[in-house]
Amino acid sequence: MLESPLTSVKGIGPKRAELFETLGVTCVRDLLFRLPRDYLDYTKAVPISQLVNGQNAAVQVRISGAARYFRKKGMTMLSAPAQDETGKITLKWFNQPYRSSQLQIGEITYACGRVLKKNGVSLLNPSLSQALPGIVPVYPTVKGMNQRAWRDSMLACLESVWDKIPEPLPRTILERYSLVPLALALRHAHFPFSREALELARRRLDFENTLLYFIIVELQKAERLRQNGFSFDTSGVLNRFTAQLPFSLTKAQLRVIEEISIDMRAPVPMNRLLQGDVGSGKTAIAMYALCVAAGNGKQGALLAPTEILAEQHAQNFTELFGDTVVLLKGSMKKAQRDAALKQIADGSALFIVGTHALLSEDVRFCDLGCIVTDEQHRFGVRQRAAMLEKGTRPDMLVMSATPIPRTLALILYGDLDISVIDELPPGRKPIKTSVIRASKREDMYAYIAAQAKEGVQSYVVCPAIEESDTIECPSVDALYAELKKKLPETRIAKLHGQMKEADKERVMRAFRTGETDVLVTTTVIEVGVHVPNACIMVIEGAERFGLSQLHQLRGRVGRSAKQAYCFLLYGVESSEENERMLTMTQTNDGFEIAQKDLLLRGPGDFIGTRQHGEDGSGLLSGAMDARLLEEAARAAKEILQQGGEESARLIELASERYGTLLGDIAMN
Ligand code: ADP
Ligand code: MG
């Protein structure tokens, strides 16, 4: 039944079916699982005086005058005055002239639409009805199909199979975790009777997705623990390593190194996530892991998300390990690249540092024993799997500056153990962060020029490279020109991702060595860049960045014992932006900021890219709910322990849905 073609549903003809097909929706099941991307809450009428600009709202009004009809720039507009006890409103429709026949003076009606507050209050393209529409689903925008067509199709689809939707979860699980049956959940996810019903529905669907995913994660873990990995000898490595370091390791670093040593000695492949705030000293840990590999005659690879970062790592490594270090990046000349590939293949390179370029097929390692991924959130699960293929069950360490709860980490990264660096190197002063009003902008740049004379360097980050109509804050190009003019005695450079590699390198080197004072740049410096003498971070258009990103950017300063400052400039004000800025001025704690970011934006945005599922039935939509994650993780373990037919059926379902995401799992 669920596999029936869409045309079997009443009201869906070949034409509409074709439109759905462009979305990858070909059968009844596909359509049922296309959940709304949003909902409009028209469960109660809002008094006109309380309407908020931009919100979607229902009002109950009396049509108070005759409708008027305009033509403007090839559009027709119909407008009608209306009111309730608290105020007046204009109802406006674009290109819907037929509406005029529906409007009768004195009639009382509900009108639902988007509020615009500009020269009075209006409601744009409202729908009119005698009863409140309740909670209305909003589906993805598709050319040639309006929301009404979506809703009609969905309703017809639900009705055609309503009593034939099989229940995938065992009754015991439904009962233990208070979950509604699938059929009911689908019904309410599309057409909820109430907020509560919607929440129960989403919880149920999220639970199922998360549970099945965790089953895969658990199976993968069991599989890993069965594998033979290389058992590294770690004796003496730490002493040799620390003897070369210019500082002594913090307690937290030593603890993590011990955890990694235990993993690497064990005869199963390590799979560990290292979380530590920006500046907590993760690079040293990466070096240690690669030293263990090298000490055992094996190669180690460090994967970095940007070329700038890869170069910086390569430089640090070369200082310690000389010409056993090789750098591989996308922008290399062929001769250089071939030389690097050769050293990687013949084993003369022991420390291999690179970008995504390391993943390409012609990169063959001689004997890859350990892989470290820096700033893991920039890489997808698939890329991690591709890297693993390059060795024979190599040890894997992934590092992230974005601390997140364990269960969410499981969703993002799959099966792994977690280490945390919860301590900064000694002598760091907390960065002082303040919000700069437009009126103080000039003073701030004067301060930066004065600091430059004292030898203190600054970053100035802009959201865009070039001027554009849509962005109101300055671009890298514009600001660079402006500052050049304004601060003639300051040495200013610009850096962005679209520059030639050689130019980027030259600019970065000049900044590192202090030949330039101010670097006007984009988020290319967001991760990992380390210039201790840069103590001031200016972020223009700060409202355009998410909290975790602001924290990362700020983390570029405060890397020495000198007091560092972060100045946030922003144009538009809304309560959410204010809240973000406030959080930034109040705390330097990455964990706190990550939590807040999770709350404000939800996990999908939080990780930047969607890593799972090709459609929007987002595994991550449930990841906000810590309890749901815990329960689903527990249920997955129970199901696998219990074994039997039910468990086998769920494993099959899980591998159908998520098996390919985490690589093939040996079933036996
Ligand atoms: P992140 O965790 O953000 O990658 P880094 O590894 O880049 O941080 O370290 C930031 C800076 O702190 C580097 O200059 C590094 O040399 C320094 N550092 C790391 N560990 C220590 C330590 N134990 N004592 C003093 N400085 C340290
Ligand atoms: Mg780093």
Side-chain angles (χ1 to χ4, degrees):
M1 247 343 246
L2 294 187
E3 271 63 44
S4 308
L6 282 180
T7 42
S8 70
V9 177
K10 221 173 84 193
I12 301 187
K15 227 169 155 187
R16 195 174 287 177
E18 237 171 71
L19 281 175
F20 277 122
E21 216 176 312
T22 62
L23 296 175
V25 173
T26 56
C27 66
V28 167
R29 175 198 301 280
D30 293 346
L31 188 58
L32 286 181
F33 281 92
R34 280 304 159 118
L35 300 183
R37 65 172 166 81
D38 201 0
Y39 301 86
L40 301 174
D41 189 348
Y42 296 142
T43 49
K44 52 178 188 288
V46 181
I48 290 174
S49 63
Q50 288 175 25
L51 291 172
V52 177
N53 189 29
Q55 124 194 84
N56 281 290
V59 293
Q60 189 182 25
V61 293
R62 193 171 63 82
I63 306 292
S64 55
R68 294 199 304 156
Y69 183 76
F70 308 89
R71 243 175 216 291
K72 211 171 153 187
K73 293 185 190 161
M75 293 236 287
T76 66
M77 189 175 86
L78 186 68
S79 99
Q83 61 189 60
D84 68 5
E85 286 98 70
T86 69
K88 290 187 165 126
I89 196 164
T90 311
L91 310 179
K92 286 181 182 165
W93 291 272
F94 297 94
N95 293 332
Q96 298 180 27
Y98 61 89
R99 290 276 185 188
S100 65
S101 64
Q102 302 173 350
L103 297 165
Q104 287 183 16
I105 300 177
E107 186 188 328
I108 295 190
T109 177
Y110 287 104
C112 304
R114 200 158 66 82
V115 176
L116 175 70
K117 283 190 155 176
K118 193 178 164 190
N119 308 324
V121 187
S122 19
L123 207 59
L124 304 182
N125 293 324
S127 61
L128 302 179
S129 55
Q130 286 314 306
L132 278 167
I135 297 174
V136 178
V138 181
Y139 294 97
T141 313
V142 180
K143 205 163 174 259
M145 187 157 54
N146 61 20
Q147 290 294 322
R148 164 152 302 217
W150 260 109
R151 281 173 212 146
D152 290 348
S153 306
M154 198 59 86
L155 198 60
C157 188
L158 268 168
E159 266 157 16
S160 72
V161 292
W162 165 240
D163 48 358
K164 302 181 196 73
I165 299 175
E167 176 55 57
L169 296 184
R171 178 188 289 264
T172 47
I173 297 276
L174 292 184
E175 278 169 9
R176 187 167 321 143
Y177 298 101
S178 315
L179 304 169
V180 296
L182 178 61
L184 202 62
L186 283 172
R187 166 112 215 164
H188 283 288
H190 289 291
F191 302 102
F193 290 156
S194 64
R195 282 264 145 206
E196 292 71 38
L198 173 58
E199 226 140 81
L200 282 176
R202 308 265 346 188
R203 183 180 133 73
R204 147 67 210 227
L205 296 171
D206 288 340
F207 190 97
E208 181 179 316
N209 281 333
T210 316
L211 169 73
L212 294 178
Y213 185 74
F214 281 157
I215 286 179
I216 296 291
V217 169
E218 285 293 325
L219 286 173
Q220 205 190 29
K221 177 162 195 172
E223 168 74 17
R224 178 168 63 88
L225 295 181
R226 260 202 307 272
Q227 283 179 356
N228 294 322
F230 189 76
S231 179
F232 289 93
D233 180 3
T234 61
S235 54
V237 179
L238 185 57
N239 286 340
R240 270 179 275 139
F241 178 61
T242 47
Q244 283 179 292
L245 282 180
F247 47 74
S248 39
L249 294 164
T250 62
K251 267 215 240 43
Q253 283 170 318
L254 283 169
R255 189 188 64 235
V256 171
I257 280 180
E258 179 55 24
E259 287 164 356
I260 288 173
S261 302
I262 292 171
D263 282 2
M264 291 189 79
R265 285 197 293 267
V268 291
M270 164 168 81
N271 196 22
R272 187 169 283 278
L273 168 66
L274 170 58
Q275 302 190 327
D277 208 346
V278 276
S280 62
K282 292 186 293 295
T283 314
I285 308 284
M287 282 181 172
Y288 171 77
L290 299 190
C291 278
V292 171
N296 287 258
K298 295 210 168 225
Q299 293 175 302
L302 176 61
L303 200 57
T306 65
E307 297 214 341
I308 290 178
L309 193 51
E311 273 151 29
Q312 184 182 289
H313 282 319
Q315 246 177 34
N316 290 338
F317 275 68
T318 308
E319 274 165 31
L320 295 185
F321 312 115
D323 55 11
T324 54
V325 181
V326 158
L327 171 66
L328 190 80
K329 49 181 189 167
S331 66
M332 283 166 110
K333 296 227 172 62
K334 185 164 184 321
Q336 258 179 320
R337 180 185 166 84
D338 287 346
L341 288 181
K342 184 167 169 296
Q343 278 179 280
I344 296 171
D346 69 16
S348 54
L350 277 181
F351 298 88
I352 295 103
V353 182
T355 58
H356 289 83
L358 282 180
L359 298 172
S360 87
E361 219 169 292
D362 58 349
V363 181
R364 289 195 193 85
F365 289 83
C366 171
D367 186 4
L368 181 59
C370 180
I371 301 163
V372 182
T373 315
D374 196 10
E375 305 301 343
Q376 163 69 16
H377 62 289
R378 296 300 189 91
F379 296 96
V381 171
R382 284 203 176 93
Q383 287 167 317
R384 189 164 65 116
M387 199 59 208
L388 279 172
E389 297 279 298
K390 305 250 174 209
T392 323
R393 297 182 290 275
D395 280 10
M396 179 87 144
L397 176 68
V398 303
M399 309 198 294
S400 169
T402 316
I404 47 173
R406 177 182 165 77
T407 31
L408 181 54
L410 284 181
I411 285 206
L412 296 179
Y413 307 127
D415 143 51
L416 35 64
D417 302 304
I418 297 181
S419 293
V420 179
I421 310 184
D422 49 7
E423 178 186 359
L424 291 179
R428 299 273 173 82
K429 295 194 185 76
I431 302 163
K432 290 192 177 150
T433 302
S434 42
V435 169
I436 303 292
R437 299 279 148 211
S439 58
K440 295 278 184 218
R441 189 164 172 271
E442 300 289 308
D443 295 352
M444 181 198 72
Y445 279 118
Y447 172 75
I448 282 174
Q451 286 292 300
K453 281 215 173 100
E454 308 277 311
V456 175
Q457 293 171 283
S458 309
Y459 296 98
V460 181
V461 173
C462 305
I465 299 171
E466 287 163 22
E467 212 59 11
S468 89
D469 305 335
T470 50
I471 299 180
E472 279 169 23
C473 51
S475 63
V476 170
D477 285 346
L479 194 65
Y480 175 71
E482 180 192 335
L483 293 183
K484 274 254 180 213
K485 214 185 268 163
K486 234 184 239 160
L487 316 173
E489 286 168 29
T490 312
R491 296 167 303 172
I492 303 171
K494 68 173 172 180
L495 177 76
H496 58 73
Q498 283 171 20
M499 284 165 45
K500 286 210 188 82
E501 277 315 312
D503 294 337
K504 270 197 263 187
E505 258 167 64
R506 188 175 41 75
V507 169
M508 207 53 225
R509 196 174 317 117
F511 191 65
R512 213 177 278 134
T513 55
E515 286 159 50
T516 45
D517 303 311
V518 174
L519 190 64
V520 182
T521 180
T522 60
T523 50
V524 286
I525 55 121
E526 180 187 354
V527 287
V529 169
H530 181 69
V531 181
N533 193 48
C535 296
I536 302 173
M537 168 62 66
V538 178
I539 305 178
E540 289 263 6
E543 77 273 6
R544 306 189 66 86
F545 300 103
L547 256 183
S548 289
Q549 212 179 4
L550 289 172
H551 180 63
Q552 280 279 349
L553 284 169
R554 175 171 64 180
R556 294 314 110 217
V557 298
R559 300 188 151 247
S560 70
K562 266 194 224 148
Q563 178 63 52
Y565 298 90
C566 174
F567 301 125
L568 305 170
L569 289 99
Y570 73 116
V572 207
E573 289 194 35
S574 78
S575 58
E576 204 220 287
E577 274 139 22
N578 282 327
E579 182 145 5
R580 265 188 283 156
M581 301 307 143
L582 200 66
T583 306
M584 286 295 291
T585 56
Q586 283 169 344
T587 181
N588 273 297
D589 180 339
F591 198 86
E592 219 178 303
I593 287 177
Q595 294 278 359
K596 190 86 191 194
D597 206 22
L598 204 57
L599 268 176
L600 283 174
R601 299 201 301 164
D605 263 2
F606 178 76
I607 55 159
T609 49
R610 193 167 60 211
Q611 299 200 7
H612 297 291
E614 306 303 332
D615 63 12
S617 66
L619 183 57
L620 281 168
S621 66
M624 284 290 287
D625 184 344
R627 208 187 71 178
L628 183 145
L629 288 178
E630 298 293 342
E631 288 182 351
R634 182 146 42 93
K637 284 203 179 89
E638 282 165 9
I639 285 167
L640 290 175
Q641 267 159 21
Q642 158 205 325
E645 215 172 288
E646 217 160 53
S647 154
R649 199 169 51 77
L650 285 172
I651 290 174
E652 202 182 310
L653 197 59
S655 37
E656 268 167 34
R657 203 170 299 176
Y658 297 118
T660 55
L661 281 176
L662 291 180
D664 293 329
I665 292 165
M667 295 285 170
N668 48 22

